[in-house]
Amino acid sequence: MNNSKRIWLAVVLGVIILIVGFTIADTISRTIDKNQRAALLQEAKQAALLVPASSITKLSASSADVESQVYKDIKQLLTAFRSYDSSIRFVYVLGYQPALKTQFFYVDSEPVESVDYSPPGQLFPDTRPEDIERYMKGEAYTDGPYRDSWGEWVSGYAPIVDSDGSVVALLGIDTATSTWHQQIGFVRTVISLISVLLAAVVTFILFLINKKQRSIDFLEKENRTLIHKEGKLEQLQTMAQIGRVTLYFPAQTFSLEGQVVDVLSLKPGDKIPMEKMLDFVHADDKDKFSKAISEITSSDISYTWVDVRLGNRQAGFRLYHLYGNIERNENLAPIRFSGIIQDITDIHTS
């Protein structure tokens, strides 16, 4: 996969995660909203049961009700009901004047000194046709978010009916939209943040994968180049009859590579002790070869060379040039001699 495709994959995955996250947030928000409305409607129905229709019929929806014990009892019940749930702002009972096509207040839960207090008979100026329609049908329902003269609300309504099933009033409960949306907003925010963070993490992981893949591609390319160069080098070494020789100290064990391995009937990677190596050296060159090895161990030279004939009596001997560097420790004792071993038989005789 090339770099542009990886970038597009990261973008697509990020967008998908965000879309899924916001979809989930919206779905959960709708579920919470539905559950909250159901709970609000249930509260309105419960509150409506506290106010019997017979009590409403005793009210005149005028200032005279303020001194009525029925009015006081209802107001006390509504105030107590509101205090049980901090999310509720207003609890009230509405009536309806057909002549004015407007709802009005019988009683509310506000103290008289409150600026939001609605006295008996006060018209509800924000009455809408749908409110009247539902009032007349005696439906329990929720409404909002909407705005009226007192603020912005989500409300629950439940009818108060008499023994004949006729609607005599409507009990309402108001919850501020700020409170209503607090839980929904929190869920949306959390899920949205999780989605954004997840998209960022996925993008970052893909970026790291992409970076790692680029490094792998680069190393593979370099490796192919190196293998190609090594192949060329081996070809050149074969053409020049050059191999490698390594002498390890203090064991004085040889390791040979190249054409000389075949000449001496060895296997690649064989470790050849000094005694066996001397068996491959021509009798006339043994002293010279031993002296070269002794010079490595008895002096501090950093490189050396020697020409010796290697082989055996049956296959014959070939002349080899050994040249290399000497690696030493802090005491100048030899650790390893590394160099080349080149067949110069033909060069020497030409």
mmCIF file of all heavy atoms in Angstrom, residues 327-335:
data_model
loop_
_atom_site.group_PDB
_atom_site.id
_atom_site.type_symbol
_atom_site.label_atom_id
_atom_site.label_comp_id
_atom_site.label_asym_id
_atom_site.label_seq_id
_atom_site.Cartn_x
_atom_site.Cartn_y
_atom_site.Cartn_z
ATOM 1 N N GLU A 327 43.637 -6.907 14.653
ATOM 2 C CA GLU A 327 42.887 -6.261 15.730
ATOM 3 C C GLU A 327 43.485 -6.701 17.055
ATOM 4 O O GLU A 327 43.680 -7.881 17.294
ATOM 5 C CB GLU A 327 41.406 -6.669 15.656
ATOM 6 C CG GLU A 327 40.552 -6.032 16.740
ATOM 7 C CD GLU A 327 39.109 -6.511 16.686
ATOM 8 O OE1 GLU A 327 38.751 -7.211 15.708
ATOM 9 O OE2 GLU A 327 38.361 -6.216 17.642
ATOM 10 N N ARG A 328 43.781 -5.725 17.925
ATOM 11 C CA ARG A 328 44.451 -6.022 19.192
ATOM 12 C C ARG A 328 43.641 -5.475 20.351
ATOM 13 O O ARG A 328 42.842 -4.540 20.194
ATOM 14 C CB ARG A 328 45.863 -5.418 19.211
ATOM 15 C CG ARG A 328 46.773 -5.984 18.124
ATOM 16 C CD ARG A 328 48.173 -5.368 18.188
ATOM 17 N NE ARG A 328 49.024 -5.927 17.136
ATOM 18 C CZ ARG A 328 49.695 -7.058 17.244
ATOM 19 N NH1 ARG A 328 49.623 -7.758 18.364
ATOM 20 N NH2 ARG A 328 50.451 -7.502 16.243
ATOM 21 N N ASN A 329 43.883 -6.041 21.558
ATOM 22 C CA ASN A 329 43.228 -5.540 22.758
ATOM 23 C C ASN A 329 44.055 -4.425 23.376
ATOM 24 O O ASN A 329 45.061 -3.983 22.797
ATOM 25 C CB ASN A 329 42.972 -6.680 23.752
ATOM 26 C CG ASN A 329 44.261 -7.346 24.216
ATOM 27 O OD1 ASN A 329 45.360 -6.772 24.119
ATOM 28 N ND2 ASN A 329 44.149 -8.579 24.720
ATOM 29 N N GLU A 330 43.629 -3.963 24.578
ATOM 30 C CA GLU A 330 44.334 -2.849 25.217
ATOM 31 C C GLU A 330 45.769 -3.197 25.594
ATOM 32 O O GLU A 330 46.599 -2.292 25.780
ATOM 33 C CB GLU A 330 43.561 -2.390 26.472
ATOM 34 C CG GLU A 330 43.444 -3.419 27.589
ATOM 35 C CD GLU A 330 42.283 -4.383 27.354
ATOM 36 O OE1 GLU A 330 41.674 -4.333 26.262
ATOM 37 O OE2 GLU A 330 42.003 -5.185 28.263
ATOM 38 N N ASN A 331 46.086 -4.485 25.701
ATOM 39 C CA ASN A 331 47.454 -4.913 25.993
ATOM 40 C C ASN A 331 48.248 -5.226 24.733
ATOM 41 O O ASN A 331 49.353 -5.791 24.818
ATOM 42 C CB ASN A 331 47.432 -6.146 26.899
ATOM 43 C CG ASN A 331 46.798 -5.851 28.248
ATOM 44 O OD1 ASN A 331 47.006 -4.771 28.813
ATOM 45 N ND2 ASN A 331 46.016 -6.793 28.755
ATOM 46 N N LEU A 332 47.673 -4.871 23.579
ATOM 47 C CA LEU A 332 48.281 -5.083 22.254
ATOM 48 C C LEU A 332 48.383 -6.561 21.882
ATOM 49 O O LEU A 332 49.070 -6.909 20.909
ATOM 50 C CB LEU A 332 49.668 -4.431 22.185
ATOM 51 C CG LEU A 332 49.697 -2.907 22.396
ATOM 52 C CD1 LEU A 332 51.138 -2.398 22.283
ATOM 53 C CD2 LEU A 332 48.807 -2.212 21.400
ATOM 54 N N ALA A 333 47.731 -7.427 22.644
ATOM 55 C CA ALA A 333 47.697 -8.836 22.271
ATOM 56 C C ALA A 333 46.736 -9.002 21.095
ATOM 57 O O ALA A 333 45.681 -8.354 21.054
ATOM 58 C CB ALA A 333 47.245 -9.688 23.438
ATOM 59 N N PRO A 334 47.062 -9.835 20.111
ATOM 60 C CA PRO A 334 46.193 -9.987 18.941
ATOM 61 C C PRO A 334 44.874 -10.663 19.291
ATOM 62 O O PRO A 334 44.829 -11.587 20.101
ATOM 63 C CB PRO A 334 47.031 -10.850 17.999
ATOM 64 C CG PRO A 334 47.919 -11.637 18.888
ATOM 65 C CD PRO A 334 48.252 -10.725 20.026
ATOM 66 N N ILE A 335 43.813 -10.159 18.701
ATOM 67 C CA ILE A 335 42.482 -10.748 18.845
ATOM 68 C C ILE A 335 42.083 -11.477 17.565
ATOM 69 O O ILE A 335 41.612 -12.614 17.596
ATOM 70 C CB ILE A 335 41.432 -9.673 19.171
ATOM 71 C CG1 ILE A 335 41.766 -8.967 20.490
ATOM 72 C CG2 ILE A 335 40.038 -10.282 19.220
ATOM 73 C CD1 ILE A 335 40.865 -7.803 20.794
#
